[in-house]
Amino acid sequence: MRIFGYQAIVLFLNVWFVNSFMFRDDCLVTTWTQWSSSGQYTESRTRRIMRVPSGGSSLCPPLSETRETDVDCQVSQWSEWGGNFGFGQQIRTRNVTQNPMGAGNQCPDLVENRYIDTKPTVVETAKNVEQYFIRAFSSNSRKRRQTNQGSVRDLLLIMDSSGSIGQSNFQKANKEIGTLIGLLCPENPFNKENGQYQYNQAAMLTFSSTVEQNFDFNDHATTEDIQGAISKAMYNGGGTNTAEAFMQAIEMFQSSKGARKSSEVKPEVLILTDGQSNNRHETLKAVEELRKVADVYGLMTGGFTKRGKDELTAYVSAPINEHLFYVESYTELEALVRLLSDMKKNEGEKWCAPFNVG
């Protein structure tokens, strides 16, 4: 009986082996076809079954594959060159009409800036300052611009106090900037009500070789107090450490300095300077970080090489034609502010857009 049992087991294993391995047909498929378009931004390939599996063989592999195609970025034609601004500049723009996909070529520059032979007149610059900075509803907040609604701001002033400016011009600049911020909207732009700013707040830094934080956003209760604090800022002389000024500017937009949430107000920076920084690379790196926190406006004065113009243009937020203003001298700065004051007087009640602070 033991021999019969052993023989039966051997016979069973032989039959199982023959059926399972010698007579099993695995799935057999063709090679893949070439990739071909199967949609706007996809392509696919296929293969066919040449032999259906049998005898318990594994299932056939996938018979189709789809992948995204590599799509190059596509852009529109350049716009016409825009109006004169800044140091005597024009820009033109183009838009992305197709975003890149996969390993497609990335998008080229969408803004081109060029210098022309003629700088804007003081009157032209005044109109740009009025349209893009002073008049709150014409600020860079597109939504508010479309609805003619005033923008509530936290405005940080950065004043150059380096040796190239000189004591007299520094005092002139502070006086004119104090007058300039008084032209903001509403009529009393920085007044507190019940201990809280209802509309705008202002803070100030001065910089030379070092940086001084002159006052925080919540230090003064009226527009007149802020103007007085600006006029009392001390002149330091020395170098132009703009990089450190920008780094400390980022720190100023903190609640500990009285800054409000960016969801509630429009954080802004206005820098007045007459020269290139002492550390270009560090400065451009720092201002790139600052622009993530606030819209940066520049009011530049003095004479510059193309390299200097390029650096100062790189300070401001986009679009640069709405953030970069230039006057050749402090006499022109006085004329600019006087023109703006006259424009406000002529506009009367039409000067300010309504505010929604609810």
Side-chain angles (χ1 to χ4, degrees):
M1 293 295 295
R2 292 194 187 97
I3 295 175
F4 176 80
Y6 173 76
Q7 290 175 338
I9 291 171
V10 170
L11 179 62
F12 171 79
L13 290 175
N14 287 337
V15 171
W16 175 83
F17 177 82
V18 170
N19 288 337
S20 298
F21 294 96
M22 296 187 63
F23 296 104
R24 186 179 70 177
D25 291 325
D26 290 332
C27 181
L28 184 64
V29 296
T30 63
T31 58
W32 289 108
T33 61
Q34 296 295 316
W35 289 103
S36 61
S37 176
S38 59
Q40 189 173 8
Y41 304 119
T42 59
E43 56 186 10
S44 60
R45 64 179 183 176
T46 60
R47 54 188 174 185
R48 293 181 296 104
I49 295 175
M50 296 178 63
R51 184 175 64 209
V52 177
S54 64
S57 294
S58 60
L59 298 176
C60 290
L63 302 178
S64 64
E65 286 184 343
T66 302
R67 69 181 182 185
E68 288 187 345
T69 54
D70 295 334
V71 178
D72 293 337
C73 177
Q74 298 179 28
V75 296
S76 65
Q77 296 295 316
W78 286 110
S79 67
E80 296 296 323
W81 288 101
N84 194 1
F85 74 96
F87 298 105
Q89 295 159 263
Q90 293 175 312
I91 63 168
R92 62 178 183 175
T93 60
R94 54 187 175 184
N95 300 315
V96 174
T97 58
Q98 170 59 57
N99 289 310
M101 298 178 64
N105 292 329
Q106 297 302 299
C107 295
D109 290 338
L110 302 177
V111 179
E112 191 170 63
N113 171 59
R114 74 177 181 183
Y115 297 98
I116 56 179
D117 294 334
T118 306
K119 73 177 184 68
T121 66
V122 178
V123 173
E124 290 172 323
T125 300
K127 290 179 179 178
N128 286 340
V129 174
E130 176 264 339
Q131 181 179 4
Y132 298 123
F133 179 69
I134 292 293
R135 302 282 289 273
F137 64 88
S138 292
S139 71
N140 195 38
S141 176
R142 303 289 180 181
K143 181 177 179 181
R144 292 185 183 275
R145 180 182 306 179
Q146 292 167 4
T147 59
N148 264 17
Q149 186 180 103
S151 292
V152 180
R153 317 174 186 212
D154 276 2
L155 173 63
L156 173 63
L157 303 172
I158 302 180
M159 303 294 292
D160 190 341
S161 178
S162 62
S164 59
I165 289 183
Q167 176 90 38
S168 176
N169 285 335
F170 179 74
Q171 292 174 342
K172 285 181 183 178
N174 287 348
K175 175 179 178 295
E176 299 306 326
I177 290 299
T179 302
L180 183 70
I181 67 166
L183 302 177
L184 298 176
C185 294
E187 187 61 31
N188 294 308
F190 297 98
N191 285 7
K192 284 183 177 179
E193 292 186 10
N194 299 320
Q196 298 292 325
Y197 286 103
Q198 186 178 11
Y199 298 110
N200 308 308
Q201 297 183 154
M204 181 175 173
L205 300 176
T206 52
F207 72 99
S208 55
S209 299
T210 58
V211 179
E212 180 179 353
Q213 297 183 7
N214 302 85
F215 56 87
D216 294 344
F217 286 107
N218 56 0
D219 280 351
H220 300 289
T222 68
T223 302
E224 291 75 17
D225 287 345
I226 292 172
Q227 291 170 325
I230 294 172
S231 68
K232 293 175 184 177
M234 300 298 293
Y235 172 70
N236 293 317
T240 310
N241 191 356
T242 317
E244 182 61 25
F246 287 149
M247 292 303 295
Q248 292 202 31
I250 296 172
E251 297 175 5
M252 292 293 288
F253 287 98
Q254 304 291 330
S255 59
S256 60
K257 299 291 184 179
R260 295 169 289 186
K261 295 179 180 179
S262 59
S263 59
E264 300 172 353
V265 301
K266 182 169 180 279
E268 293 181 347
V269 169
L270 176 64
I271 178 172
L272 189 147
T273 183
D274 77 334
Q276 295 173 241
S277 66
N278 294 340
N279 37 18
R280 178 188 179 97
H281 176 74
E282 291 82 358
T283 298
L284 295 181
K285 183 178 178 181
V287 79
E288 184 178 354
E289 294 303 310
L290 177 58
R291 288 197 302 268
K292 297 176 183 178
V293 175
D295 277 351
V296 179
Y297 294 85
L299 180 52
M300 315 306 186
T301 184
F304 300 95
T305 63
K306 182 180 182 301
R307 178 178 172 83
K309 294 175 183 178
D310 287 345
E311 179 182 327
L312 270 65
T313 298
Y315 291 176
V316 303
S317 297
I320 60 174
N321 62 309
E322 297 183 11
H323 290 80
L324 179 65
F325 316 115
Y326 170 71
V327 289
E328 195 167 9
S329 65
Y330 289 91
T331 300
E332 282 196 359
L333 177 61
E334 291 173 334
L336 173 74
V337 176
R338 187 166 57 250
L339 279 168
L340 288 164
S341 297
D342 290 342
M343 291 165 68
K344 178 178 180 179
K345 187 181 300 181
N346 293 335
E347 285 285 328
E349 293 181 357
K350 298 178 182 178
W351 182 253
C352 288
F355 277 69
N356 178 7
V357 295

